[in-house]
Amino acid sequence: MTLPLRSLAAGAGLLALASALALRLAERDASRPYDVLHVPSGAAARWTALGHRTAVSDLYWLALVQYVGDSRASERGWERLLPLADLVTDLDPRHGYAYQTAGIVLSQVGRLAESDRILAKGVERGPPYWSFPFYLAFNAWFYRGDYPAAARWAELAALRPGASANISHLAVSLAAKGGTPDTAIEMLRELRSEVKDERTLERLDEQMRLALLERDAQMLERLAARFEAETGLPLASLEPLLWRGDLPALPPDPFGGRYEWNAGERRVRSSANPFRFELREEPRAAAPPPAAGERR
């Protein structure tokens, strides 16, 4: 039986594309981290795929996984992650892991607008995962302090298949502007139940450490304020809180350093990680979905 010419051409094109990608993945300079030198546009990849879009999407998904998993990724940077995730999901809009992995990693490395963009694309075009809008809620609240957007994304997540009852409770808390670092910890625990791959779990665990840092620092700042109010003395370090018995010991720093009192800022900082929650301006943030009865 003779195969149709189009099928032969498609198979040859797919084989050529796979070979080219394999060669590119193999061309690693041992002196530099793994990188992706070129990401084609979705239109170009669709034309090249010749009816094999899912297979080509899987090839670029492999490239994305290696890009995320490189041990020296922080040296290389993250400029190609969003283009890779866009390409994978242009070719296969139902590739749920691509939206989720890219969204979580981009958020954790500080590229919030890009994280919002791929997650919002997943909400619109991907499978109905509750984790897409829920992680958008996390970005909006934890990194930007935007309670209304966070609450509305969480409300959408609560309506999706597989969402636990706890997500509705978190949505109500955010709507009431009642979010605390403990809320972030709860949100991350919910997300952790959905994620399976090790690299993405590592990124969530990194954000869990940030939430624990913020929870501990806020607790220590409350004790510092009470110490100064009761003694009338300025606090120069955290040690007097131990001497007075306000707490038995300083909590362990989740990043392996130690908590320190910055008298100038009047804030607690980790010696190992400078992160503290504060409102941030971030361009091109994803707009929350319209409330019931609203029109865009």
Side-chain angles (χ1 to χ4, degrees), residues 217-258:
Q218 288 189 17
M219 178 271 293
L220 291 168
E221 285 166 357
R222 288 192 296 271
L223 291 177
R226 189 174 76 185
F227 172 90
E228 292 185 336
E230 292 178 354
T231 65
L233 300 172
L235 191 66
S237 71
L238 295 174
E239 278 66 26
L241 303 180
L242 305 178
W243 303 337
R244 282 207 338 160
D246 291 316
L247 71 168
L250 293 178
D253 181 338
F255 290 94
R258 63 186 182 281

Side-chain angles (χ1 to χ4, degrees), residues 11-187:
L14 182 60
L15 180 60
L17 182 61
S19 299
L21 183 57
L23 283 171
R24 182 154 291 173
L25 293 177
E27 289 174 353
R28 301 186 187 185
D29 183 339
S31 68
R32 71 180 189 184
Y34 171 78
D35 202 355
V36 175
L37 302 180
H38 172 68
V39 181
S41 69
R46 285 193 296 272
W47 181 84
T48 308
L50 294 172
H52 294 272
R53 293 183 183 180
T54 301
V56 176
S57 174
D58 288 343
L59 287 172
Y60 279 101
W61 167 244
L62 174 63
L64 187 152
V65 169
Q66 294 193 47
Y67 187 83
V68 167
D70 184 73
S71 61
R72 294 187 292 170
S74 59
E75 298 173 39
R76 176 206 61 214
W78 295 96
E79 289 74 16
R80 301 290 200 297
L81 180 50
L82 178 61
L84 276 171
D86 262 337
L87 177 58
V88 171
T89 54
D90 281 348
L91 290 165
D92 181 7
R94 307 296 290 176
H95 201 306
Y97 284 128
Y99 301 109
Q100 181 166 280
T101 298
I104 289 173
V105 173
L106 286 166
S107 170
Q108 194 273 319
V109 300
R111 302 176 78 98
L112 294 183
E114 293 180 358
S115 172
D116 282 352
R117 177 176 155 184
I118 194 64
L119 290 166
K121 181 181 179 182
V123 170
E124 286 187 28
R125 299 182 56 193
Y129 290 3
W130 61 264
S131 57
F132 300 160
F134 195 66
Y135 205 86
L136 281 160
F138 181 83
N139 278 353
W141 172 68
F142 190 69
Y143 289 111
R144 296 192 180 90
D146 187 342
Y147 283 96
R152 288 163 69 177
W153 281 123
E155 287 164 4
L156 178 59
L159 297 174
R160 293 209 155 189
S164 73
N166 193 40
I167 293 176
S168 294
H169 301 152
L170 289 166
V172 170
S173 174
L174 292 168
K177 297 187 178 181
T180 67
D182 287 323
T183 304
I185 292 167
E186 285 187 65
M187 294 177 80

Side-chain angles (χ1 to χ4, degrees), residues 189-256:
R189 284 176 179 156
E190 289 287 338
L191 286 162
R192 213 179 185 287
S193 69
E194 179 75 359
V195 171
K196 307 302 179 188
D197 66 285
E198 183 180 343
R199 291 295 183 181
T200 311
L201 285 172
E202 288 175 3
R203 299 292 172 177
L204 284 177
D205 288 344
E206 179 76 6
Q207 291 180 314
M208 179 72 80
R209 286 191 285 273
L210 293 179
L212 291 169
L213 187 160
E214 183 64 27
R215 182 195 66 186
D216 294 345
Q218 288 189 17
M219 178 271 293
L220 291 168
E221 285 166 357
R222 288 192 296 271
L223 291 177
R226 189 174 76 185
F227 172 90
E228 292 185 336
E230 292 178 354
T231 65
L233 300 172
L235 191 66
S237 71
L238 295 174
E239 278 66 26
L241 303 180
L242 305 178
W243 303 337
R244 282 207 338 160
D246 291 316
L247 71 168
L250 293 178
D253 181 338
F255 290 94

Side-chain angles (χ1 to χ4, degrees), residues 213 216-217 220-221 224 235-239 241 250-251 253 257-274 276:
L213 187 160
D216 294 345
L220 291 168
E221 285 166 357
L235 191 66
S237 71
L238 295 174
E239 278 66 26
L241 303 180
L250 293 178
D253 181 338
R258 63 186 182 281
Y259 289 118
E260 298 174 338
W261 175 247
N262 186 308
E265 289 185 322
R266 302 190 59 73
R267 299 197 82 182
V268 171
R269 296 278 180 183
S270 161
S271 64
N273 189 313
R276 283 302 310 275

